[in-house]
């Protein structure tokens, strides 16, 4: 007997792939809430891993640039521009230099309106930006990852307002194998413990 499903099953399956898009808008540092360079790189790498071509990714990157500035027009008109070149141009356009970012890391202190957790995230973000900027080919000054890690820990311990959290985290951070996830967990536990203690005992006179 003939299988009535044969003709149907033998037809080639057509899969429609979604067009690659960059989420967020690429703009200069002075623009309000521009897409960060690290976020842009993350999306580019995700596009690569999902099989999108360099041409498709380039088109999405250029479309995500704010239409007003000349940067978009420049990139659209430049012949033979590759993704690696575009990435270098955008990093210089969007991000501060490794030296400027490292200086921010060394002088960082917890702001009055900033929670301890937000301060920690800000330092982690600065640490990653320094390392990323330092890895770029055109970067004049290379920062050793161990040096950047050491400065991040120093700024965290000296910039925190709560002395109790400082003391607890100083013990934990001696462990150089501690992951960022573990730091988050211990930091949150320490802040919660100190907050609870303050609520029970009240402010010290």
């Amino acid at each position: 007997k003939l299988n009535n499903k044969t003709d149907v099953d033998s037809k080639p399956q057509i899969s429609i792939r979604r067009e690659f898009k960059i989420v967020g808008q690429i703009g200069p540092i002075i623009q309000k809430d521009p897409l960060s360079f690290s976020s842009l790189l993350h999306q580019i790498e995700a596009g690569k891993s999902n099989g999108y071509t360099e041409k498709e990714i380039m088109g999405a990157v250029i479309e995500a640039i704010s239409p007003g500035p000349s940067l978009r027009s420049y990139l659209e008109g430049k012949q033979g521009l590759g993704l690696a070149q575009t990435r270098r141009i955008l990093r210089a356009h969007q991000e501060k230099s490794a030296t400027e970012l490292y200086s921010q890391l060394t002088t960082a202190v917890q702001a009055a309106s900033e929670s301890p957790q937000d301060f920690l995230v800000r330092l982690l973000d600065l640490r990653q930006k320094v390392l990323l900027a330092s890895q770029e080919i055109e970067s004049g000054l290379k920062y050793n990852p161990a040096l950047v890690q050491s400065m991040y820990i120093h700024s965290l311990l000296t910039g925190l307002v709560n002395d109790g959290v400082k003391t607890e985290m100083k013990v934990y951070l001696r462990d150089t194998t501690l992951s960022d996830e573990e730091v988050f967990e211990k930091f949150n536990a320490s802040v919660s413990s100190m907050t609870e203690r303050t609520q029970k005992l009240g402010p010290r006179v």
Side-chain angles (χ1 to χ4, degrees), residues 2 6 21 36 57 59 82 87 93 108 112 129-130 133 146 154 179 189:
L2 294 175
T6 302
K21 294 283 188 181
S36 70
I57 296 173
R87 181 177 125 166
H93 186 259
K129 285 182 176 179
V130 171
H154 175 76
S179 68

Side-chain angles (χ1 to χ4, degrees), residues 151-169:
M151 180 51 66
Y152 141 71
I153 292 174
H154 175 76
S155 293
L156 178 62
L157 296 177
T158 56
L160 273 170
V161 172
N162 192 300
D163 290 331
V165 177
K166 284 184 188 179
T167 302
E168 283 195 7
M169 290 308 299

